[in-house]
Amino acid sequence: MTRFAVLGPLECWSGPQQVEIRGSLQRSLLGALLAAEAKPVSVRALVTELWGDAPPAQWENALHAHVSRLRRRITGCSDRATTEPGGSPRLIGLATGYRLVVTETDLDSLSFTRQVARARAIAAIAPSEAAELLRSALSLWRGTAFGMITGGPMARAAAHHLEAARTVALEVLFDVELRIGRHADIIPALRELVESPQLNERFCEQLMVALYRSGRQAEALATYRAMRHRLDEELGVLPTQTLRDHERAILNHHPALHTRANHMALRE
């Protein structure tokens, strides 16, 4: 079975064996086709992806050669690499472009997206199951999406979209974990995220709630002050009203902060 991975360095696997995709243009081509997640990609988009605004004089021949080389490369890795279960080609040439057929079991980004969607759909009625689904989805990540490959706008846009989806999945996971009483377990992960270069007030809110529920009110308030300072120093802005409401709720021992209470009511 051939699998493709983009939630980290771009990889192609045939069973337990990794298939090396050599050359920046070959990797950019595969990255663009995978970024489309089984949807057609136009010739124009692929040319831009590979060469930007300066394609070679014979770009039609060059693109065809790169597609043929990529097809041969993944064809050689296994009998199924370039075919669907019914025997149809995996890398399909179309009148206006190309399409790489992948499914949820073939491409980690599709599996991630589907698992997160299922988790969000059941979070209200089955939070423990939702948490397991989210942890399974997040475990697919091996690093930065697409591994910062040299690529064009399609790969970059897909990477940014996936990174944003990863952040949302983490936010949903921590909300679910707070709901089912695992506040102490998530403090280390939340602290690492809050102290990372990325400024995310939602993670700060969740860490404040987790610390408060763990009997660490002073640390929760210190977390707020540290975020307020960073927002002022790095962006010149105040915390959002929601984050300020969390500080006020902690000072006033708001009922929404009680263990297993609906802490998300503080965002309303």
Side-chain angles (χ1 to χ4, degrees):
M1 176 180 179
T2 301
R3 296 173 289 110
F4 301 95
V6 298
L7 301 181
L10 181 65
E11 293 179 353
C12 175
W13 291 82
S14 177
Q17 179 181 2
Q18 185 171 358
V19 180
E20 184 178 359
I21 306 298
R22 302 183 182 92
S24 62
L25 290 178
Q26 285 281 288
R27 293 178 66 79
S28 292
L29 174 61
L30 178 58
L33 293 167
L34 291 173
E37 296 185 335
K39 294 184 285 292
V41 184
S42 70
V43 167
R44 176 172 296 188
L46 289 175
V47 170
T48 300
E49 199 77 7
L50 270 62
W51 296 291
D53 296 328
Q58 301 297 323
W59 60 263
E60 299 98 329
N61 293 337
L63 177 60
H64 179 74
H66 280 294
V67 170
S68 297
R69 192 174 303 134
L70 179 62
R71 184 181 285 119
R72 288 196 302 270
R73 185 62 187 146
I74 59 179
T75 298
C77 69
S78 78
D79 290 339
R80 189 186 177 279
T82 56
T83 61
E84 298 179 79
S88 300
R90 172 68 73 92
L91 180 50
I92 303 172
L94 306 170
T96 58
Y98 296 90
R99 176 175 176 246
L100 181 63
V101 179
V102 288
T103 67
E104 182 178 343
T105 58
D106 303 327
L107 180 59
D108 58 356
S109 61
L110 283 175
S111 179
F112 168 77
T113 301
R114 302 283 172 79
Q115 288 187 64
V116 171
R118 288 195 291 267
R120 298 186 74 173
I122 65 171
I125 57 175
S128 295
E129 184 179 347
E132 291 305 311
L133 273 172
L134 287 164
R135 290 198 177 277
S136 173
L138 288 162
S139 72
L140 297 172
W141 286 78
R142 299 164 290 110
T144 303
F146 287 85
M148 301 298 290
I149 64 169
T150 301
M154 283 191 65
R156 290 196 299 270
H160 292 154
H161 172 77
L162 287 167
E163 290 291 343
R166 182 188 194 182
T167 298
V168 170
L170 284 166
E171 292 172 353
V172 175
L173 172 63
F174 294 133
D175 277 338
V176 172
E177 298 281 37
L178 286 169
R179 180 178 175 183
I180 59 182
R182 295 179 183 167
H183 42 272
D185 296 339
I186 62 177
I187 288 175
L190 277 169
R191 189 181 297 281
E192 182 177 352
L193 288 166
V194 169
E195 293 176 355
S196 72
Q198 180 184 4
L199 287 167
N200 184 304
E201 293 187 58
R202 178 60 54 82
F203 290 145
C204 185
E205 295 170 15
Q206 293 168 325
L207 178 57
M208 290 165 67
V209 174
L211 288 167
Y212 180 88
R213 290 182 176 177
S214 300
R216 298 157 67 175
Q217 179 180 2
E219 288 183 58
L221 294 170
T223 296
Y224 169 79
R225 290 193 297 271
M227 178 58 74
R228 182 182 63 190
H229 177 74
R230 285 189 62 191
L231 289 167
D232 180 46
E233 288 292 311
E234 298 178 30
L235 301 178
V237 299
L238 294 171
T240 61
Q241 185 62 52
T242 302
L243 190 56
R244 297 199 296 272
D245 288 344
H246 275 69
E247 181 202 28
R248 187 177 302 106
I250 289 172
L251 290 169
N252 295 328
H253 305 284
H254 195 286
L257 294 172
H258 296 168
T259 300
R260 295 182 182 272
N262 180 17
H263 67 284
M264 292 187 286
L266 295 174
R267 298 176 191 154
E268 297 174 355

